[in-house]
Amino acid sequence: MERSILRRRALAACTATMAVGVLALAGLTGNASADPAPQLRTPTATGAGQLAPGLLKAMRRDLGLTAAEARSRIGHESRAAAVAAGLQRSLGAEFAGARVSGADAALTVATTDAADVARIREAGAKPVVVEHSQAELDAAKAALDRVALRSATEGVPVWYVDVATNRVVVQAARASAADGFLAAAGVSREMVTIRQSTERPRTFADLRGGDAYYMNGSGRCSIGFPVKRGSGQSGFVSAGHCGTPGVSTSGYNQQAQGFFQGSTFPGRDYSWVATNTSWTPRALVNGYGNGDVTVTGSTEALEGSSVCRSGSTTGWHCGTVQQRNTSVTYQEGTVSGVTRTNVCAEPGDSGGSFISGSQAQGVTSGGSGNCSQGGTTYFQPVNPALQAYGLTLVTNGTPTDPPTNPGGTWAEGTTYAAGDVVTYGSDSYRCLQPHQALPGWTPPNVPALWQRI
């Protein structure tokens, strides 16, 4: 059965006219706190000043941005993400989502309580009062996900939480299919928008992000991001539908590379491959002749942010994040927690890198359409994959060992206010924006949040 599936995927990777597939992403949640409202400031983006030529070229082609405009936009988006995270914590259960829009990444933050408007406006964001909190919408979508895990969702290919409309959107070929899906999940139509769709998502099956690799010497996928596990094992994360544990891989040069160690699909769409010592992991994403992009971290981008993808079939393409926390149904089953984008992709791009600025976002899963006519592509967020398998992202252009505590006062999970000073190792840093320190958000890795002094 597995061999049959892989043969079908290998054939799909060689069929350039085939429709594009799907991918997955999990959202982050925050706890309520009495933190003061953060404020937007002139952006100094995470890696914005060092954007790779290939990424800038793709953003110019797909988003119509000059190099200066691209750097400015990434800077604004990075700053808005930090402010949104602070507001999410301070608003608590009343938080109803955040998004950015326009070239200057204007931040909009929604709340269910009109009393929060002044706090949101003080932070430099546009306040919107809505009916449903983020938690309520996420709970409704989770109920739909549970139904999809128990039985097929024929005629309902995609569903997601749409922050902009404060609704759960269900795409369906027929209204009756959507109604049956909602009834089975016990979800009220009151918070749901049904949109007719003929979309038929399928997977893209077909050490540097975006490079090609081959499964059992046949089907082709793309590397997501190089990783480390433990003190010495190197490898990479990719899409779960690309292979199952034990499947061998060979690199873009057809040389022996490694074996799948873990794989989840459907449900989620992530995997990791342990590679042999002939392969050195680099914190790079293949720019396909336009200069590689250095990966400096994995801070999640907001809805509306620019995002670019590298894959072994179509190279670099860019667009924007449409909705996070999306579910999509393939022939093999439903994948939940993916991020929906308007970036194009084609067979063989599966598993490839999604990146915003220098921040790793996720691995390509699938979608619909192609890069001649455009389409929708989904990606599986990288952070849940790293957490699932106990992996560490390779950052800053060189192989890295799992993070160790170098000493100092900085601590993961701590809430910091603007102006706070911490030490990390032998260096001191001043906080630029209020935030809660998440895994990987060490001061050297997130210059949008910390300034070395």
Side-chain angles (χ1 to χ4, degrees):
M1 178 67 174
E2 291 177 0
R3 292 180 180 176
S4 175
I5 292 173
L6 285 174
R7 282 197 296 270
R8 291 201 302 271
R9 290 174 181 159
L11 178 61
C14 297
T15 307
T17 58
M18 186 173 280
V20 185
V22 170
L23 77 164
L25 161 71
L28 300 176
T29 58
N31 298 323
S33 74
D35 296 341
Q39 293 181 339
L40 287 169
R41 290 182 174 83
T42 302
T44 54
T46 305
Q50 296 79 39
L51 295 181
L55 186 142
L56 291 172
K57 182 177 179 180
M59 292 183 74
R60 182 184 187 91
R61 179 194 62 210
D62 296 336
L63 296 173
L65 301 176
T66 66
E69 289 170 340
R71 292 189 181 95
S72 176
R73 177 163 174 165
I74 292 293
H76 284 293
E77 290 170 352
S78 176
R79 185 69 65 204
V83 172
L87 282 170
Q88 180 174 4
R89 289 191 305 277
S90 64
L91 298 180
E94 297 155 5
F95 178 77
R99 67 187 189 276
V100 295
S101 60
D104 60 351
L107 176 61
T108 298
V109 174
T111 178
T112 58
D113 189 345
D116 295 329
V117 166
R119 178 185 299 182
I120 295 171
R121 187 173 288 123
E122 180 185 354
K126 176 184 176 181
V128 177
V129 180
V130 296
E131 183 175 0
H132 306 294
S133 70
Q134 183 81 57
E136 290 173 325
L137 295 174
D138 286 344
K141 182 184 171 292
L144 296 173
D145 291 346
R146 287 192 291 271
V147 170
L149 289 175
R150 296 196 302 266
S151 60
T153 58
E154 184 177 357
V156 185
V158 178
W159 56 101
Y160 52 82
V161 172
D162 187 13
V163 172
T165 61
N166 193 233
R167 310 274 286 180
V168 175
V169 175
V170 175
Q171 295 185 358
R174 305 175 310 280
S176 59
D179 289 335
F181 187 34
L182 295 177
V187 173
S188 169
R189 274 292 305 267
E190 187 267 337
M191 65 173 63
V192 175
T193 296
I194 297 175
R195 293 178 181 166
Q196 185 175 12
S197 172
T198 58
E199 187 173 336
R200 296 176 62 87
R202 62 182 65 189
T203 52
F204 286 138
D206 186 269
L207 279 161
R208 177 180 52 175
D211 280 353
Y213 70 93
Y214 300 85
M215 300 82 73
N216 280 346
S218 55
R220 172 170 57 86
C221 277
S222 301
I223 292 174
F225 296 94
V227 297
K228 300 279 282 188
R229 188 180 191 187
S231 60
Q233 180 60 62
S234 300
F236 60 85
V237 290
S238 188
H241 70 262
C242 288
T244 56
V247 169
S248 66
T249 69
S250 55
Y252 64 90
N253 55 5
Q254 299 288 358
Q255 298 301 304
Q257 185 185 65
F259 293 87
F260 279 85
Q261 303 297 304
S263 179
T264 301
F265 179 80
R268 294 290 188 265
D269 194 4
Y270 48 60
S271 63
W272 92 278
V273 173
T275 56
N276 60 45
T277 56
S278 297
W279 295 84
T280 301
R282 301 291 182 188
L284 299 173
V285 173
N286 190 341
Y288 285 94
N290 297 297
D292 294 340
V293 177
T294 299
V295 179
T296 64
S298 57
T299 301
E300 188 176 14
L302 296 177
E303 276 98 336
S305 296
S306 54
V307 67
C308 296
R309 177 195 56 74
S310 178
S312 59
T313 298
T314 59
W316 273 107
H317 285 276
C318 299
T320 57
V321 173
Q322 302 293 290
Q323 288 87 21
R324 299 183 291 182
N325 192 19
T326 295
S327 294
V328 63
T329 297
Y330 309 113
Q331 180 180 355
E332 297 91 338
T334 296
V335 174
S336 298
V338 298
T339 296
R340 182 171 177 264
T341 77
N342 60 4
V343 184
C344 72
E346 295 181 8
D349 288 327
S350 274
S353 323
F354 264 85
I355 190 165
S356 181
S358 64
Q359 299 298 301
Q361 297 300 308
V363 299
T364 303
S365 176
S368 57
N370 56 49
C371 288
S372 297
Q373 300 175 335
T376 298
T377 301
Y378 304 84
F379 70 80
Q380 164 71 54
V382 68
N383 287 330
L386 299 176
Q387 295 164 5
Y389 301 122
L391 306 172
T392 301
L393 186 69
V394 175
T395 59
N396 297 329
T398 57
T400 60
D401 292 323
T404 58
N405 186 350
T409 59
W410 180 88
E412 182 181 307
T414 302
T415 298
Y416 293 104
D420 286 351
V421 174
V422 301
T423 56
Y424 188 78
S426 59
D427 296 318
S428 296
Y429 295 84
R430 178 178 292 108
C431 180
L432 300 176
Q433 289 292 327
H435 68 283
Q436 183 180 35
L438 299 179
W441 286 21
T442 59
N445 277 351
V446 282
L449 302 179
W450 294 99
Q451 179 182 40
R452 185 178 176 183
I453 56 177

